[in-house]
């Protein structure tokens, strides 16, 4: 597609349920990032994928969070046993392999945990 | 270590007057610097970027920024504010040495008075 696609755009779930968020980056963007943005806050780094290299998971807040990416395609972020503090917008961004390049963001997945 | 500081959490200007959003950075190496804009319930959109070429960078919608190495600043300006400029603005540092360690400022909310 022409841009970064994220789904679902909105997700309301009950505390304790698992959720899966999907990101489909721009073709050719070998780098992929996940960020969390709580209401009125800045962006919090979660995880970084670059091609087939081992991902940088240093931003994942707990072992309830995990993410996968197969090659240079779709990525999924999974949150197990959701808590109310997980409520946030989860943003995905892609980039070419060049460290000087810009990030291309999706519109985010808004997660609300009741 | 890298860091970025947006000096104002909120800036309010009248329509038609100049805009100044301030950003200071700290980086061990020559970084790439970016300004992104986020409208409500949207993802982040690139306004402009500095990648060691010209120090005065022109972006979209009449915005520009000047890289001043001696002051470690990358302030965003626009000569005349428009109502549609009301949004959240993020200054971003991307160190060349580490693709995953992109640092986002805490954001500046720009309000435009009619």
């Amino acid at each position: 597609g022409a841009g970064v696609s994220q789904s679902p755009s909105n997700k309301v779930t009950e505390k304790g349920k698992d959720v899966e968020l999907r990101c489909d980056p721009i073709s050719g963007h070998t780098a992929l990032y996940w960020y969390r943005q709580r209401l009125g806050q800045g962006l919090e780094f979660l995880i970084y994928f670059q091609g087939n290299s081992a991902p940088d998971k240093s931003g994942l807040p707990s072992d309830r969070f995990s993410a996968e990416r197969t090659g240079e395609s779709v990525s999924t972020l999974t949150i197990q046993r959701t808590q109310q503090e997980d409520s946030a917008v989860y943003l995905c961004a892609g980039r070419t392999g060049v460290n000087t390049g810009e990030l291309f963001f999706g519109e985010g997945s808004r997660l609300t945990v009741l | 270590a890298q860091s970025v500081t947006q000096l104002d959490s909120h800036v309010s200007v009248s329509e038609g007057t100049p805009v100044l959003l301030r950003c200071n950075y700290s980086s061990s190496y020559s970084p790439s610097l970016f300004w992104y804009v986020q409208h409500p319930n949207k993802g982040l959109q690139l306004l402009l970027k500095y990648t060691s070429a010209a120090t005065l960078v022109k972006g979209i919608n009449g915005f520009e920024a000047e890289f001043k190495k001696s002051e470690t600043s990358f302030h965003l300006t626009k000569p005349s504010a428009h109502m549609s400029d009301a949004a959240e603005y993020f200054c971003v540092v991307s160190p060349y040495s580490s693709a995953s360690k992109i640092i986002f400022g805490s954001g500046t909310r720009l309000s435009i008075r009619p």
Side-chain angles (χ1 to χ4, degrees):
Chain A
V4 179
S5 177
Q6 290 190 246
S7 62
S9 55
N10 276 287
K11 175 72 175 179
V12 180
T13 190
E14 293 180 348
K15 178 181 172 181
K17 300 283 190 182
D18 297 352
V19 298
E20 186 173 280
L21 308 177
R22 175 188 169 105
C23 173
D24 195 352
I26 296 170
S27 177
H29 282 190
T30 58
L32 187 146
Y33 302 75
W34 282 98
Y35 294 93
R36 178 169 69 180
Q37 187 176 31
R38 291 193 165 114
L39 186 63
Q41 304 294 313
L43 273 70
E44 177 185 0
F45 168 74
L46 295 177
I47 189 168
Y48 162 72
F49 295 92
Q50 173 58 57
N52 293 316
S53 301
D56 180 347
K57 303 180 181 180
S58 60
L60 295 178
S62 78
D63 59 8
R64 296 187 296 105
F65 287 72
S66 63
E68 293 184 350
R69 188 185 189 197
T70 304
E72 298 178 359
S73 62
V74 170
S75 176
T76 56
L77 175 69
T78 302
I79 308 173
Q80 296 178 310
R81 305 181 303 281
T82 52
Q83 304 293 312
Q84 288 185 330
E85 64 261 28
D86 299 334
S87 296
V89 175
Y90 290 83
L91 291 163
C92 170
R95 191 188 209 184
T96 64
V98 179
N99 288 1
T100 56
E102 69 197 78
L103 294 174
F104 291 81
F105 283 86
E107 296 211 339
S109 291
R110 180 177 299 278
L111 174 65
T112 303
V113 182
L114 301 177
Chain B
Q2 282 71 232
S3 67
V4 58
T5 302
Q6 291 186 241
L7 296 160
D8 307 290
S9 59
H10 182 214
V11 170
S12 179
V13 302
S14 296
E15 188 175 20
T17 64
V19 175
L20 170 65
L21 304 183
R22 298 182 294 166
C23 173
N24 285 99
Y25 72 93
S26 171
S27 180
S28 303
Y29 304 98
S30 296
S32 295
L33 298 164
F34 306 83
W35 276 99
Y36 284 84
V37 61
Q38 185 179 34
H39 288 94
N41 301 314
K42 296 290 186 182
L44 279 70
Q45 178 187 17
L46 180 72
L47 278 178
L48 48 82
K49 64 179 178 181
Y50 166 78
T51 55
S52 75
T55 57
L56 181 62
V57 182
K58 294 187 184 297
I60 63 171
N61 300 335
F63 284 95
E64 61 182 41
E66 186 171 6
F67 173 70
K68 292 187 176 180
K69 187 174 182 178
S70 61
E71 300 177 9
T72 61
S73 69
F74 190 57
H75 301 335
L76 182 71
T77 61
K78 182 174 180 176
S80 177
H82 190 273
M83 295 300 292
S84 61
D85 295 328
E88 190 85 16
Y89 291 79
F90 292 96
C91 182
V92 181
V93 174
S94 179
Y96 185 77
S97 59
S98 176
S100 66
K101 304 303 181 188
I102 299 174
I103 301 169
F104 287 77
S106 54
T108 298
R109 181 165 60 91
L110 177 63
S111 300
I112 312 296
R113 302 186 299 271

